[in-house]
């Protein structure tokens, strides 16, 4: 605990054998792991450590022999021998072409299929029995989401319909975690003969761009799903969402707050203390309607006014403490609606109501949105009757040593690292 620094510190002549040994150990570990991009990285690392060893000892240290190359240790196109920085090595990882990886995987699957076919020629009866057993096992496989859908279809809760959606925000590039969600949303719709919408939740013009829209559509198609005419945008519903906000105001369930951002944050409270109601919480319906119209027409500057849902400032769920549902954003122009709107709905407002507008039956999201579900239900129940969407949460896909954050990935792209 009293160490001033973390990690190993190499100095003097001891650095040469230790560095070379470390490189050899990493190379062996990577070989055993079966990485498809092992050889170029190992050669580069070994070159670096050998050069460091030469500098430290004054005599060139002899590098251990490279491990025997196998079929899955192929040098990628354009790779060269020689030294490279850790940043360049990580850059190689970032620049790996997913289509090449997919092609390698498909070739491996094809090889296995050939082997299976050759084996089946000598024992066709055993192969047929195994295929039947596998098909039966796959048919019986299930998970809690499938159980919910099957129960809803059985009881008629959704009138025999299954409509899911994949709703990315067009503010960055997708990662492997999104692949799980795409396959789940489109796969469930396909399995139960339903529909899956690809909907872009484009409610923040500050961070969104048509480039991300096109990139996401390509990724969805690359995974084998073609949304075709089922591509929608939350911006398609801006007028309907505005009308819903007006309805909440008329029903006394929303109000315009002209407090500063700091005041709103301070009065929100903490997880241990309740919030303090805004002094503008009890404005009349007429005043709130006039102020909301003024927001829409550009009568306020950015940040001068917001529309808040009137729920419960003492709720233990802080998302229910009069959450913001509309804010002002006069610049930059929206990538689709341009300068038509000066106000934009917040994600937690637009998301559930867009689901309801599209007739979504099962709104499946990741587990961190569990605390958002009470607000989802509150909004839908206030504005819709009859069949309505319900939110269900699943565990998100995380991989060790892998970035699963659009924001962090976008930083790497913008800085030219990948």
């Amino acid at each position: 605990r009293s160490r001033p620094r973390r990690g190993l510190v190499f100095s003097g002549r001891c650095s040469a054998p230790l560095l070379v040994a470390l490189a050899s150990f990493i190379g062996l570990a990577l070989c055993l792991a079966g990485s498809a991009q092992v050889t170029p990285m190992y050669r580069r690392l070994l070159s670096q450590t050998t050069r460091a060893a030469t500098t430290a000892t004054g005599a060139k240290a002899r590098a251990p022999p490279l491990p025997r190359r196998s079929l899955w240790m192929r040098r990628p196109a354009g790779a060269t021998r020689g030294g490279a920085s850790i940043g360049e090595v990580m850059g190689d990882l970032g620049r790996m072409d997913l289509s090449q990886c997919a092609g390698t995987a498909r070739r491996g699957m094809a090889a296995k299929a050939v082997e299976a076919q050759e084996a089946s020629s000598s024992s066709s009866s055993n192969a047929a029995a195994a295929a039947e057993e596998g098909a039966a096992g796959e048919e019986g496989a299930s998970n809690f989401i499938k159980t919910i859908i099957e129960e809803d279809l059985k009881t008629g809760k959704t009138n025999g319909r299954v409509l899911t959606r994949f709703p990315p925000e067009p503010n960055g590039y997708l990662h492997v975690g999104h692949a799980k969600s795409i396959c789940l949303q489109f796969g469930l719709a396909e399995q139960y003969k339903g529909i899956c919408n690809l909907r872009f939740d484009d409610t923040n013009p500050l961070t969104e761009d048509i480039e991300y829209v096109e990139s996401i559509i390509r990724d969805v198609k690359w995974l084998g799903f073609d949304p075709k005419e089922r591509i929608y945008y939350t911006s398609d519903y801006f007028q309907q969402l505005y009308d819903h906000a007006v309805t909440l105001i008329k029903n006394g369930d929303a109000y315009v707050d002209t407090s500063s951002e700091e005041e709103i944050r301070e009065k929100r409270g903490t997880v241990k203390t309740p919030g303090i109601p805004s002094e503008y919480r009890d404005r009349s319906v007429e005043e709130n309607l006039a102020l909301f119209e003024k927001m829409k027409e550009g009568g306020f500057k950015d940040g001068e006014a917001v529309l808040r849902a009137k729920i419960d400032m003492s709720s233990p769920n802080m998302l229910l403490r009069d959450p913001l549902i509309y804010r002002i954003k006069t610049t930059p122009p929206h990538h689709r609606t341009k300068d038509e709107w000066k106000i934009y709905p917040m994600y937690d407002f637009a998301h559930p109501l867009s689901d309801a507008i599209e007739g979504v039956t099962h709104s499946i999201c990741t587990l961190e949105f569990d605390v958002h579900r009470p607000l989802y239900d509150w909004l839908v129940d206030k504005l819709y009757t009859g069949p309505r969407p319900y939110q269900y949460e699943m565990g998100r896909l995380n991989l060790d040593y892998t970035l699963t954050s659009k924001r962090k990935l976008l930083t790497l792209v913008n800085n030219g690292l990948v």
Side-chain angles (χ1 to χ4, degrees):
R1 294 180 180 176
S2 61
R3 293 177 181 173
R5 296 177 61 186
R6 292 182 178 179
L8 297 174
V9 179
F10 299 118
S11 62
R13 295 180 177 273
C14 292
S15 63
L18 285 174
L19 285 172
V20 174
L22 178 61
S24 301
F25 175 79
I26 293 175
L28 178 60
L30 289 173
C31 290
L32 294 176
S35 170
Q37 304 292 330
V38 166
T39 301
M41 288 187 294
Y42 174 63
R43 289 183 184 274
R44 289 184 175 188
L45 180 60
L46 186 59
S47 175
Q48 286 287 348
T49 53
T50 302
R51 186 180 303 145
T54 303
T55 303
T57 61
K60 185 174 182 180
R62 185 174 182 180
L66 289 172
R68 182 178 180 182
R69 179 181 298 187
S70 65
L71 292 176
W72 41 261
M73 290 174 59
R74 296 180 179 178
R75 180 182 300 279
T80 59
R81 298 172 183 257
S85 66
I86 294 297
E88 291 173 325
V89 173
M90 294 306 295
D92 282 348
L93 287 176
R95 286 186 290 269
M96 285 172 57
D97 188 349
L98 290 180
S99 62
Q100 292 179 359
C101 296
T104 302
R106 294 190 189 103
R107 287 191 293 272
M109 294 172 64
K112 290 183 178 180
V114 171
E115 294 176 1
Q117 185 177 3
E118 292 175 353
S120 65
S121 62
S122 60
S123 55
S124 57
S125 58
N126 292 337
E132 293 177 358
E133 181 180 354
E138 183 178 355
E139 183 178 354
S142 185
N143 56 55
F144 78 98
I145 295 179
K146 290 183 179 180
T147 300
I148 291 172
I149 293 177
E150 290 170 4
E151 182 65 21
D152 290 346
L153 292 174
K154 181 179 179 181
T155 60
K157 181 178 180 179
T158 61
N159 293 329
R161 298 184 308 112
V162 173
L163 202 164
T164 61
R165 83 289 173 270
F166 176 60
E169 297 175 75
N171 58 2
Y173 303 100
L174 301 187
H175 52 71
V176 67
H178 292 104
K180 173 184 177 180
S181 180
I182 292 170
C183 292
L184 179 68
Q185 307 280 3
F186 282 89
L188 287 172
E190 187 177 276
Q191 179 175 350
Y192 292 101
K193 296 179 173 57
I195 296 171
C196 181
N197 294 342
L198 172 58
R199 182 179 73 237
F200 292 97
D201 278 330
D202 53 345
T203 59
N204 186 1
L206 188 64
T207 60
E208 297 162 353
D209 194 274
I210 189 64
E211 174 187 351
Y212 306 129
V213 172
E214 295 171 350
S215 171
I216 291 171
I217 293 175
R218 284 197 304 269
D219 288 343
V220 171
K221 291 182 177 180
W222 186 85
L223 286 171
F225 303 102
D226 190 353
K228 298 179 181 178
E229 72 279 3
R230 306 298 302 185
I231 299 177
Y232 299 100
Y233 300 82
T234 300
S235 54
D236 293 335
Y237 315 132
F238 277 172
Q239 184 60 52
Q240 290 172 271
L241 295 173
Y242 175 82
D243 294 340
H244 283 324
V246 170
T247 299
L248 290 177
I249 294 174
K250 290 180 177 179
N251 294 338
D253 293 319
Y255 63 97
V256 174
D257 194 342
T258 48
S259 302
S260 67
E261 183 179 348
E262 292 74 18
E263 290 174 330
I264 293 176
R265 186 185 301 109
E266 183 179 348
K267 291 184 177 181
R268 191 183 181 199
T270 68
V271 292
K272 295 183 179 180
T273 59
I276 301 173
S278 168
E279 59 181 302
Y280 306 110
R281 195 173 195 265
D282 296 323
R283 277 175 164 156
S284 66
V285 170
E286 292 73 21
E287 185 179 6
N288 282 316
L289 288 173
L291 289 172
F292 191 46
E293 179 68 18
K294 184 178 178 180
M295 288 173 58
K296 177 177 178 289
E297 297 301 325
F300 290 103
K301 296 180 181 178
D302 291 15
E304 286 187 341
V306 294
L307 184 68
R308 301 178 67 177
K310 188 187 293 186
I311 305 181
D312 183 3
M313 287 301 293
S314 62
S315 172
N317 185 340
M318 296 187 67
L319 294 177
L320 295 181
R321 295 183 183 180
D322 290 9
L324 278 62
I325 57 177
Y326 260 92
R327 81 288 205 195
I328 302 170
K329 282 189 179 295
T330 56
T331 56
H334 192 275
H335 70 96
R336 295 187 73 239
T337 61
K338 307 306 178 184
D339 295 319
E340 180 181 354
W341 291 89
K342 307 298 182 184
I343 57 174
Y344 293 93
M346 302 295 288
Y347 179 85
D348 277 342
F349 179 80
H351 177 224
L353 298 183
S354 296
D355 282 351
I357 291 171
E358 293 179 3
V360 170
T361 59
H362 301 84
S363 180
I364 305 167
C365 56
T366 46
L367 198 57
E368 65 265 30
F369 289 95
D370 178 35
V371 294
H372 296 248
R373 182 161 21 99
L375 178 56
Y376 185 106
D377 291 337
W378 186 88
L379 287 166
V380 174
D381 288 338
K382 287 287 183 180
L383 296 164
Y384 284 86
T385 58
R388 46 149 291 184
Y390 289 89
Q391 177 179 302
Y392 304 97
E393 301 85 24
M394 63 173 182
R396 61 176 291 167
L397 176 63
N398 286 318
L399 300 178
D400 289 343
Y401 311 110
T402 302
L403 287 179
T404 52
S405 164
K406 276 200 298 185
R407 178 178 56 83
K408 293 178 180 178
L409 285 173
L410 191 59
T411 300
L412 294 178
V413 174
N414 291 338
N415 291 339
L417 299 175
V418 296

